[in-house]
Amino acid sequence: MKPYSFSDILNKWSSDLIQEIYEGINEDKILHALENDSLSIEDLIALLSPKAVPFLEKMAQKANQLTRWHFGRTISLYTPIYLSNLCASDCVYCYFASHSGIREKRVTLTEEQIREECIELSKKGIQTVLLLTGDAPNRVPVEYIEQAVRIAKEYFKSVNVEVYSMDEAHYAQLAHAGTEGVTLYMETYDKDTYDKVHLSGKKKDYLYRLDALERAGRTGIRRLTCGVLLGLSDWRFDVVWLALHAKYLEKTCWQSVISLSFPRLKHTPPRFKVPHLVNLEKLVQIITAMRLFLPYSPFNLSTRESAEVRDHLIPLGITSMSAGSSTRPGGYKVYQDTTTSQRPVLEQFEIDDHRTVEEVVSAIKAQGYDPVWVDFEPGFIKSL
């Protein structure tokens, strides 16, 4: 008998079924969802429906209450380190894509350059980092990422990765090297859209990517982060499928923390226009509804959003933010000071919050929250 998988759940929760539920939402169902302590997927759909927009203030108040209850007034901080911008996949929305048409320089940091980046970031007080690459397993193999994790562990307490999907044995290699978390966005759960925006490369394999976080969880990775690229497809379906995926991972990878990110697609290469733009009101509706559905899950917000938006969202369910970010390999030290005569190193996307780490910390404190530099100490578990 075939093992039960998340693809079975996706098949059950088709877009036709979700649309039918959306069409049956009324004010009573929204109020019922707001009063519930434990929400069903039908309750979540009620809060994500267009008819829930007049209830955003009540949703925000409850999201704030739940977040403070489970996480206190704290915001964890992390910074991304891009190791490479080489990519063998062709994702039409990404500047790193093999056929993006962008002519800026492609590089992979050497071990010495990785150390330079780590030293520069550690001077700013950062203790949690996210290592990133493009989708190029042959040019940037698992062994390279494993060594990068070992180097980063010399400088930071928490090292996480956001790289291409891989086999369970390779995730085990990264876990053994000290990787605490794996971030991997499905981008969109809509199979037709997924096929249209991923033209070639390993990433085109929808089912292999769909099961990647579960493979990582089986190796003992402590934190699994999932998400969709908001704007690729109709968010009212993608967010429901994301919530189902998070719940599935909670059960199958019970030893891991399941966290979520809410990347909003805004800056894309010239060949691609965002088909389903998500405005700020919709982003607030998504984050607050998901907080009510997943009250225990950490929620991340990156510098894709502006300083004003990120500050506005702090009380509404966010528990972790990036700070002082660069999406360019070597962006903190190695390639920071390129001259106008040099070809710049390609960045993955343009960030909208350019504040320094110190400025982000000040903004968090100004709202009465405490910045947290590292939220987990492995030595505590070992001492039990």
Side-chain angles (χ1 to χ4, degrees):
M1 183 178 175
K2 180 186 172 188
Y4 195 63
S5 71
F6 182 59
S7 63
D8 296 320
I9 295 175
L10 272 185
N11 290 334
K12 175 186 173 186
W13 286 92
S14 67
S15 56
D16 287 344
L17 174 60
I18 295 172
Q19 180 62 36
E20 184 180 331
I21 297 174
Y22 270 125
E23 289 173 358
I25 298 300
N26 54 36
E27 185 173 320
D28 287 344
K29 291 183 178 180
I30 295 167
L31 290 172
H32 178 266
L34 278 169
E35 291 167 0
N36 267 355
D37 290 330
S38 179
L39 271 59
S40 67
I41 199 71
E42 289 84 359
D43 290 328
L44 174 67
I45 293 172
L47 297 179
L48 292 173
S49 72
K51 291 180 180 175
V53 171
F55 297 87
L56 272 184
E57 182 61 33
K58 289 184 178 179
M59 290 167 61
Q61 289 173 5
K62 189 164 184 180
N64 174 264
Q65 180 187 49
L66 286 171
T67 308
R68 289 177 60 178
W69 193 342
H70 293 294
F71 297 90
R73 297 180 72 94
T74 63
I75 298 290
S76 298
L77 292 170
Y78 71 95
T79 298
I81 299 178
Y82 279 75
L83 303 173
S84 173
N85 54 17
L86 302 185
C87 193
S89 290
D90 194 16
C91 314
V92 296
Y93 51 83
C94 182
Y95 282 90
F96 280 2
S98 57
H99 294 91
S100 67
I102 309 299
R103 298 302 177 192
E104 295 182 354
K105 189 186 295 184
R106 304 264 186 174
V107 299
T108 299
L109 300 183
T110 65
E111 290 188 15
E112 181 181 352
Q113 290 173 330
I114 294 171
R115 287 186 188 281
E116 287 186 58
E117 295 290 285
C118 290
I119 291 170
E120 190 65 22
L121 277 182
S122 63
K123 290 178 184 174
K124 300 174 182 177
I126 292 296
Q127 296 187 37
T128 300
V129 292
L130 178 66
L131 307 183
L132 299 97
T133 69
D135 208 83
N138 292 327
R139 300 285 301 278
V140 186
V142 174
E143 291 72 20
Y144 169 87
I145 300 170
E146 177 186 1
Q147 183 58 16
V149 170
R150 294 187 188 282
I151 293 171
K153 285 292 289 182
E154 296 176 23
Y155 301 92
F156 308 106
K157 290 186 176 179
S158 176
V159 177
N160 308 269
V161 301
E162 183 178 344
V163 298
Y164 45 84
S165 52
M166 54 184 66
D167 296 339
E168 187 172 330
H170 289 152
Y171 281 124
Q173 271 182 255
L174 299 187
H176 184 69
T179 300
E180 182 183 340
V182 169
T183 293
L184 191 134
Y185 303 147
M186 191 57 208
E187 319 298 16
T188 175
Y189 291 91
D190 184 286
K191 180 67 164 57
D192 290 340
T193 301
Y194 190 93
D195 288 341
K196 289 175 184 172
V197 298
H198 299 102
L199 303 181
S200 63
K202 187 177 179 181
K203 193 170 176 179
K204 193 166 179 59
D205 190 334
Y206 176 91
L207 289 178
Y208 186 73
R209 191 171 184 85
L210 188 67
D211 293 334
L213 282 176
E214 192 175 350
R215 293 194 296 275
R218 285 199 293 264
T219 69
I221 293 287
R222 193 186 79 82
R223 182 194 299 267
L224 305 173
T225 300
C226 49
V228 292
L229 268 179
L230 295 168
L232 267 188
S233 187
D234 188 331
W235 65 269
R236 285 199 161 90
F237 296 94
D238 252 341
V239 173
V240 173
W241 289 321
L242 171 63
L244 288 166
H245 198 184
K247 280 289 187 185
Y248 174 80
L249 290 171
E250 278 184 354
K251 293 177 181 175
T252 56
C253 305
W254 54 268
Q255 74 277 36
S256 303
V257 174
I258 311 301
S259 66
L260 286 84
S261 294
F262 302 93
R264 193 160 52 136
L265 200 53
K266 293 189 289 185
H267 305 297
T268 59
R271 66 171 173 167
F272 182 73
K273 302 298 179 190
V274 181
H276 299 273
L277 281 170
V278 174
N279 63 26
L280 181 57
E281 181 184 77
K282 292 172 181 172
L283 182 62
V284 169
Q285 186 176 8
I286 291 167
I287 291 174
T288 54
M290 290 292 267
R291 170 54 68 211
L292 270 58
F293 184 70
L294 297 164
Y296 308 104
S297 297
F299 285 1
N300 314 309
L301 195 66
S302 78
T303 50
R304 283 178 183 267
E305 300 296 340
S306 68
E308 181 182 10
V309 168
R310 297 214 306 161
D311 290 352
H312 175 72
L313 292 174
I314 283 178
L316 301 184
I318 299 303
T319 61
S320 175
M321 297 172 72
S322 54
S325 303
S326 169
T327 65
R328 173 179 287 125
Y332 303 112
K333 178 67 174 179
V334 179
Y335 294 111
Q336 187 189 33
D337 300 322
T338 52
T339 65
T340 53
S341 62
Q342 294 175 308
R343 195 156 54 108
V345 172
L346 175 63
E347 62 182 5
Q348 190 183 31
F349 57 86
E350 183 181 339
I351 63 171
D352 279 350
D353 184 350
H354 297 273
R355 292 178 294 182
T356 64
V357 173
E358 293 78 9
E359 289 169 335
V360 173
V361 167
S362 296
I364 292 170
K365 289 181 176 178
Q367 295 207 41
Y369 284 72
D370 292 325
V372 175
W373 298 99
V374 62
D375 64 1
F376 178 70
E377 177 53 66
F380 176 74
I381 298 295
K382 292 175 183 175
S383 68
L384 292 178

